[in-house]
């Protein structure tokens, strides 16, 4: 029989049986719609293959992927260690909800070495949450080194792999226990759907995550899963183009006197370049840009002048975006001292010359107001 290339969108709560006895027959597949349809199975299978996972689960947002993974691993009295540069809603979950459940957390500097992080371990330390590169400031962590220290101390490692999209970095191959990512970003690729993936290294961890998802009653709609599956098909070609465009823009920005620093590990001048080169096979199009002096008002004047760059949160779509990042730094235990305001750019798939021209007029507005 002929069939379409892609799995169909099957919307269904009830799954009908021919005979009542079939309800007891596990060989007939899922018994209830929440167990997922063909499109979920295919999305999970491909994500697991990409991440080198024993099993991958999908949840409704990237943040839910982080929080479900952490919740699956901890019990009251446990402690989580995390980089000070972690995604701030992940930190809010640690500070607000996990603290209420008796799970504490401590932060380490984003460039702490594996030995420095291991020196913080206590008998209560249960999980190290790695985010590499870090949010806003893009520090690369030594994931294999950290994972090895954690493994020998019986501590689990969870890596937020959103920047690398599961393709440019393989946390599980580098010893991590769980790799999570916001599918809302590069995998979807079109700024129109939310989703998160939880990829697990071993069956015991997969079972914990599965049971928590089952207990919480989490579900992703088949329409959303279908969009994410569609995005996944073109992920490698899009990421390669994001990287090429980002390199053009980053090189140009670095040559400008209005710019103090470009925070992008693929730049040979980055302090994280050696680690990135060792562990990653490419770079995404998201970077930090530190302006050279100037006020918050001048940074905002620059952003308001941009025409091609949209102003807004999230990233990973085909379009370029810019945001002002100082609020992300304010929540840290030890905010870094930077030479000026911090901007975040997502370099999309537009012509790089056009993006550079747009930034050129933005920087003119910055200089005029600085
Ligand atoms: C965006 C993002 C998330 C959360 O993704 P949502 O789908 O927006 O919830 C988690 N981690 C990182 C590093 C992100 O950039």
């Amino acid at each position: 029989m002929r069939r379409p290339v892609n799995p169909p969108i099957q919307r269904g709560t009830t799954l009908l049986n021919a005979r009542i006895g079939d309800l007891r027959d596990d060989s007939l597949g899922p018994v209830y719609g929440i167990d997922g349809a063909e499109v979920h199975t295919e999305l999970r299978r491909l994500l697991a293959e990409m991440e080198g996972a024993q099993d991958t689960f999908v949840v409704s947002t990237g943040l839910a992927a982080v929080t479900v993974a952490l919740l699956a691993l901890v019990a009251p009295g446990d402690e989580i260690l995390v980089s000070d540069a972690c995604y701030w809603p992940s930190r809010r979950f640690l500070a607000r909800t996990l603290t209420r459940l008796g799970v504490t957390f401590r932060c380490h500097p984003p460039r702490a070495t594996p030995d420095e992080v291991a020196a913080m371990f206590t008998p209560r330390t249960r999980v190290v949450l790695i985010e590499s590169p870090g949010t806003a400031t893009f520090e690369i962590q030594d994931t294999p080194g950290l994972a090895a220290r954690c493994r020998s101390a019986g501590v689990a490692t969870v890596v937020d792999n959103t920047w690398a999209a599961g393709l440019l970095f393989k946390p599980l191959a580098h010893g991590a226990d769980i790799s999570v990512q916001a599918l809302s970003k590069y995998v979807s690729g079109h700024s129109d759907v939310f989703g998160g993936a939880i990829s697990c290294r071993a069956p015991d961890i997969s079972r914990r995550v599965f049971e928590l998802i089952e207990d919480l009653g989490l579900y992703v709609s088949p329409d959303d899963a279908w969009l994410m599956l569609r995005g996944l098909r073109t992920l490698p070609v899009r990421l390669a183009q994001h990287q090429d465009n980002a390199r053009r823009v980053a090189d140009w920005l670095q040559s400008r006197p209005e710019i103090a620093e470009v925070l992008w590990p693929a730049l040979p001048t980055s302090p994280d370049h050696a680690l990135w080169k060792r562990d990653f096979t490419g770079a995404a199009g998201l970077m930090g840009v530190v302006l050279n002096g100037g006020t918050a008002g001048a940074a905002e004047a620059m952003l308001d002048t941009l025409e091609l760059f949209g102003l807004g949160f999230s990233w990973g779509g085909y379009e370029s975006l810019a945001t002002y990042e100082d609020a992300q730094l304010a929540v840290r235990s030890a905010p870094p001292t930077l030479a000026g305001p911090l901007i975040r750019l997502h370099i999309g798939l537009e012509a790089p010359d056009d993006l550079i021209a747009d930034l050129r007029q933005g920087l003119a507005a910055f200089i005029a107001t600085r």
Side-chain angles (χ1 to χ4, degrees):
M1 207 165 74
R2 299 191 181 96
R3 60 174 184 86
V5 172
N6 297 297
I9 294 176
Q10 296 154 307
R11 298 189 191 88
T13 51
T14 300
L15 300 177
L16 295 171
N17 295 266
R19 304 170 58 84
I20 197 66
D22 290 351
L23 277 170
R24 296 187 298 269
D25 186 349
D26 287 341
S27 73
L28 294 175
V31 290
Y32 194 31
I34 204 159
D35 299 326
E38 248 182 88
V39 68
H40 298 98
T41 308
E42 184 65 354
L43 177 62
R44 289 176 54 193
R45 187 183 70 78
L46 290 180
L47 288 169
E49 192 176 319
M50 177 168 75
E51 294 263 10
Q54 188 267 330
D55 205 349
T56 294
F57 302 92
V58 290
V59 290
S60 58
T61 64
L63 182 57
V66 177
T67 60
V68 167
L70 293 177
L71 206 50
L73 295 172
V74 294
D78 287 348
E79 179 190 61
I80 296 175
L81 300 181
V82 62
S83 155
D84 205 16
C86 84
Y87 181 61
W88 72 266
S90 302
R91 187 192 190 107
R92 184 179 62 192
F93 172 71
L94 294 170
R96 198 159 63 182
T97 297
L98 277 191
T99 301
R100 185 168 54 77
L101 300 179
V103 177
T104 56
F105 76 102
R106 277 183 298 151
C107 293
H108 58 77
R111 289 199 178 95
T113 64
D115 284 334
E116 286 164 349
V117 175
M120 293 172 69
F121 289 175
T122 71
R124 297 176 49 229
T125 308
R126 182 73 195 94
V127 178
V128 171
L129 172 61
I130 297 172
E131 195 180 310
S132 181
T135 280
T137 39
F138 299 90
E139 300 89 350
I140 298 288
Q141 293 189 255
D142 183 349
T143 299
L146 276 167
R149 301 302 187 289
C150 288
R151 182 68 48 84
S152 52
V155 173
T157 37
V158 177
V159 176
D160 186 329
N161 198 25
T162 300
W163 188 82
L167 189 71
L168 308 174
F169 179 53
K170 310 285 183 183
L172 304 183
H174 286 93
D177 294 302
I178 296 183
S179 170
V180 299
Q181 68 154 314
L183 301 172
S184 329
K185 308 285 171 56
Y186 282 118
V187 167
S188 309
H190 297 76
S191 306
D192 55 6
V193 62
F194 279 104
I198 306 171
S199 297
C200 305
R201 182 183 54 82
D204 56 323
I205 293 168
S206 298
R207 186 178 34 79
R208 279 169 171 263
V209 171
F210 169 75
E211 287 174 358
L212 184 60
I213 287 174
E214 197 176 38
D215 287 347
L216 294 174
L218 304 182
Y219 180 68
V220 171
S221 87
D223 305 71
D224 289 354
W226 191 92
L227 281 171
M228 291 183 261
L229 185 58
R230 161 163 288 199
L232 195 52
R233 306 289 185 193
T234 55
L235 180 67
V237 284
R238 285 186 288 110
L239 274 178
Q241 194 63 46
H242 281 291
Q243 169 171 265
D244 286 356
N245 289 4
R247 190 174 296 283
R248 284 279 312 280
V249 172
D251 285 347
W252 181 80
L253 286 169
Q254 271 204 315
S255 74
R256 300 293 310 189
E258 304 92 333
I259 304 300
E261 204 182 344
V262 179
L263 311 177
W264 196 54
L267 288 170
T269 50
S270 161
D272 303 302
H273 187 69
L275 271 183
W276 170 79
K277 212 169 165 182
R278 187 191 71 185
D279 295 344
F280 288 65
T281 56
L286 190 76
M287 63 181 70
V289 179
V290 182
L291 298 171
N292 200 352
T295 59
E300 290 188 8
M302 178 212 165
L303 293 171
D304 284 339
T305 308
L306 299 175
E307 290 176 51
L308 214 45
F309 283 82
L311 306 179
F313 288 118
S314 201
W315 44 273
Y318 54 86
E319 80 290 12
S320 291
L321 293 169
T323 54
Y324 181 42
E325 288 289 283
D326 283 23
Q328 302 262 3
L329 302 180
V331 299
R332 294 195 186 171
S333 317
T337 314
L338 300 174
L342 176 62
I343 301 291
R344 186 183 76 186
L345 296 181
H346 176 251
I347 306 303
L349 303 176
E350 303 92 339
D353 286 340
D354 294 347
L355 295 174
I356 288 170
D358 202 24
L359 290 168
R360 192 190 300 277
Q361 51 157 351
L363 291 182
F366 170 68
I367 289 299
T369 357
R370 183 171 63 168

